[in-house]
Amino acid sequence: MSNHPFALAAPPGAVTQAPSGPEYIVDRAFRSLAWLAAALILVLVAYIVWKIGGQALPAIREYHIDFLTSSSWNVQEKRFGILPAIWGTLYSSLLALAIGGFFGLTVAIFLTQGFLPARVAFLFRLIVEMLAAIPSVVFGLWGIFVVIPAIRPAANWLNETLGFIPFFGTSLSGPGLLPAAIVLAIMVLPTVAAISQDALNAVPYRTKEAAFGMGATKWEVILKVMVPTAAGGIFSAMVLGFGRALGETMALAMLIGNSNQLTLSLFAPAETLAALLASHFPEAGPVEVEALMYAALVLLAITLVVNIAGIGLLTLTQRKISGKA
């Protein structure tokens, strides 16, 4: 009797046959390689956290939780705090996601729901995907020389007219939160658009036909059938886009102003964790490097929390849509 695990899976002469010995070995080898690759990713992440945490440990012992709640960054007095950078990171990323997420989903709908001929849609899709290949520093230069001059008149008018509203409480004299968020939204848009397109294309065509058969209009089908059905993939696109925005460095370092202050104004300069690291590391001494490593550890933690929360919300959303909640 053969020792092959699939020897008795199919009788002789059956249309379907069990995997052969070599195929079984290849399958087991592939499974082992997949597990090894997954384990190596976890090991790599653990190693990065261990190295950064090891260099940040003196600062963690020195500043404790005050590092997260104070606003001072004074190298001479050895006083460090990243509350304004945390605020600027979340504020600019959420604002960019609101803008880029809306337009990314709009582009995905426009390119997948028959609004354009196939060849024209392919051309538009190619142009959107090319945005992801543009270097960050080019986006930063474009923001300085094009975006800021373009929005400055409207921003200053809003400040003069509605300056009593905290969001318009300052004028736009140069780099600030709004131009940084606009450029960041354009950088996020290709990610959101590409994944949202895949999610919408994955919806079975019969689902769309059934909605039309019940008398729904085209926009009712899109907004009440297609988008809710593809909500899982669209939400994943938003989470990935948010993660992309949290870690962006060069463009924000050039556009956000690098001002260590807490503000609601869209036109005021601000700071982000990634921009803080990029601007301070080149000239940092040993003490400041420890504080910067602490800031890097906080940025890693924020990214991890965002991804975990995104997975949890995605699971909850899919259960509600499927009626399992």
Side-chain angles (χ1 to χ4, degrees):
M1 180 179 292
S2 174
N3 293 325
H4 191 279
F6 296 119
L8 301 177
V15 175
T16 58
Q17 295 295 325
S20 64
E23 290 174 338
Y24 177 70
I25 293 172
V26 169
D27 179 73
R28 292 301 298 269
F30 180 79
R31 287 173 179 265
S32 300
L33 286 174
W35 277 103
L36 179 61
L40 286 176
I41 291 173
L42 295 177
V43 170
L44 178 61
V45 172
Y47 176 74
I48 292 172
V49 173
W50 177 69
K51 290 293 290 185
I52 294 176
Q55 295 187 52
L57 191 58
I60 296 173
R61 290 172 176 170
E62 177 71 21
Y63 307 114
H64 304 291
I65 197 70
D66 294 338
F67 187 75
L68 308 179
T69 58
S70 60
S71 302
S72 174
W73 191 276
N74 191 316
V75 180
Q76 285 73 27
E77 298 179 5
K78 296 182 180 180
R79 296 172 57 191
F80 303 102
I82 58 169
L83 182 60
I86 294 174
W87 169 254
T89 299
L90 296 176
Y91 195 2
S92 60
S93 298
L94 287 170
L95 188 59
L97 182 64
I99 301 171
F102 172 78
F103 285 102
L105 179 57
T106 302
V107 168
I109 292 173
F110 189 65
L111 294 178
T112 59
Q113 301 306 309
F115 289 97
L116 292 174
R119 292 184 178 180
V120 179
F122 173 79
L123 179 62
F124 271 87
R125 190 177 297 112
L126 187 63
I127 293 172
V128 172
E129 291 175 355
M130 285 178 60
L131 290 175
I134 298 176
S136 178
V137 66
V138 175
F139 274 114
L141 291 172
W142 178 73
I144 291 172
F145 292 108
V146 177
V147 176
I148 292 177
I151 67 174
R152 183 183 286 126
N156 291 338
W157 179 84
L158 286 171
N159 172 244
E160 294 170 2
T161 307
L162 303 172
F164 58 91
I165 301 175
F167 295 108
F168 312 128
T170 61
S171 60
L172 181 66
S173 57
L177 262 168
L178 185 60
I182 291 174
V183 171
L184 194 55
I186 296 173
M187 298 176 74
V188 164
L189 188 146
T191 301
V192 177
I195 300 176
S196 296
Q197 287 178 67
D198 292 339
L200 290 169
N201 284 328
V203 177
Y205 188 72
R206 290 184 179 181
T207 303
K208 190 175 182 179
E209 286 183 325
F212 279 124
M214 296 178 67
T217 64
K218 184 170 185 175
W219 280 108
E220 286 175 338
V221 171
I222 293 172
L223 298 178
K224 295 184 179 181
V225 177
M226 300 296 292
V227 172
T229 305
I234 293 171
F235 189 83
S236 298
M238 299 295 179
V239 172
L240 289 174
F242 190 47
R244 170 80 169 84
L246 286 172
E248 176 52 43
T249 304
M250 200 61 218
L252 286 187
M254 298 170 67
L255 288 170
I256 203 163
N258 301 317
S259 177
N260 202 41
Q261 62 175 341
L262 284 167
T263 179
L264 278 174
S265 176
L266 296 172
F267 312 137
E271 184 72 282
T272 68
L273 289 168
L276 174 72
L277 295 172
S279 59
H280 285 259
F281 248 118
E283 301 177 358
V287 175
E288 190 176 11
V289 166
E290 294 170 356
L292 290 170
M293 285 298 184
Y294 193 177
L297 203 60
V298 173
L299 181 58
L300 277 174
I302 291 174
T303 306
L304 180 63
V305 169
V306 166
N307 280 277
I308 292 174
I311 292 171
L313 288 173
L314 175 60
T315 303
L316 182 62
T317 302
Q318 288 177 330
R319 285 181 178 177
K320 287 186 176 181
I321 291 174
S322 63
K324 296 180 180 179

